[in-house]
Amino acid sequence: MQSGREKAYAYLKESVLTDPEMQDRFLSEQEIADRIGVSRTPIREALLLLAAEDLVRLVPKRGAHIAPLSGREISELMEMRALIERFAAERTTREGTAPVTEMAAVLAEQHALRGADSAREFIAADHRFHATLVAAVGNTLMSRQYDALRSRQIRAGVTALYRAGNRQDEVLAEHQEILDHLSAGDGAAACAAIDSHLQATQRILLAA
C-alpha cells in the first residue's frame, strides 16, 4: 500500500508535471491534497523530492513552481535519450534480441490513440515504445536512468504535439522506420532513424 507521500509523488510526477498546461504555474498544495485525498504534509514531502530532481522549483512564500523546459534542458534531454537509445539499438541488433514484437504492439496502440484528446496517452505510449527497446538490453541501472527521464520526455512530447498539428502522424512514421530497421537487424540504420526522430522533436520545441 502506498504511503501518502508516495501517492502524492506519483500523482504529481505522472499527472501534473507531464501536463504542458501546468508549465510556468505554481502548485496549490491544498488543491492537490483535496484532489488525491491526503493531507498537505505528504504533498510538501513529495514536492521536496521533486525539487531534488529539478522537476519543480520551491519559491519562498509562493510555493512550488513548474518552470517550462528550457532550451538547454530540451537539448540535454534529447542528447541523453540518444545516447541510451542508440546503445540499445546497437546492442539488441548485434545480439538478435531487439523486442520487435513488443514494440510493434505499442506502435499499434499509438495508432489507436491518434487525436488531440489523447495527446498525453499517445506520448505515454511513445515512452513505452522507446523504453521497451532500452529494457531489452537487460541493464537494470540503464533502464532506471532512462525511466527517470519520463516526466520530462512526456512533457516535451506533448508540447511538441500541440505546436505541430501533424506531429502525431510524423511520430508514427518515424517509429515505424525505427522498427523496420530493428526488424532487419540493421543497427546503424536504426540509430540513424532514432537520431532523426529525436532531432525532429527538438527542432519543434526549440523553434518557439
Side-chain angles (χ1 to χ4, degrees), residues 51-66:
E53 297 177 36
D54 290 327
L55 292 173
V56 299
R57 184 168 60 95
L58 300 180
V59 181
K61 299 182 181 180
R62 295 290 305 276
H65 178 246
I66 303 177

Side-chain angles (χ1 to χ4, degrees), residues 122-151:
F122 181 92
I123 294 299
D126 182 292
H127 174 81
R128 288 197 300 277
F129 179 85
H130 294 279
T132 299
L133 174 60
V134 174
V137 173
N139 185 317
T140 303
L141 182 58
M142 179 181 292
S143 291
R144 286 177 181 168
Q145 291 297 316
Y146 188 79
D147 195 56
L149 304 175
R150 184 177 185 276
S151 292

Side-chain angles (χ1 to χ4, degrees), residues 37-90:
V38 300
S39 68
R40 291 178 64 176
T41 298
I43 301 296
R44 292 194 194 100
E45 293 172 346
L47 289 172
L48 287 171
L49 293 174
L50 294 169
E53 297 177 36
D54 290 327
L55 292 173
V56 299
R57 184 168 60 95
L58 300 180
V59 181
K61 299 182 181 180
R62 295 290 305 276
H65 178 246
I66 303 177
L69 290 172
S70 67
R72 179 177 177 177
E73 284 180 298
I74 291 166
S75 297
E76 290 180 351
L77 170 64
M78 296 306 172
E79 184 175 30
M80 180 63 75
R81 286 189 57 191
L83 286 170
I84 295 174
E85 292 177 29
R86 284 173 58 94
F87 177 85
E90 291 170 349

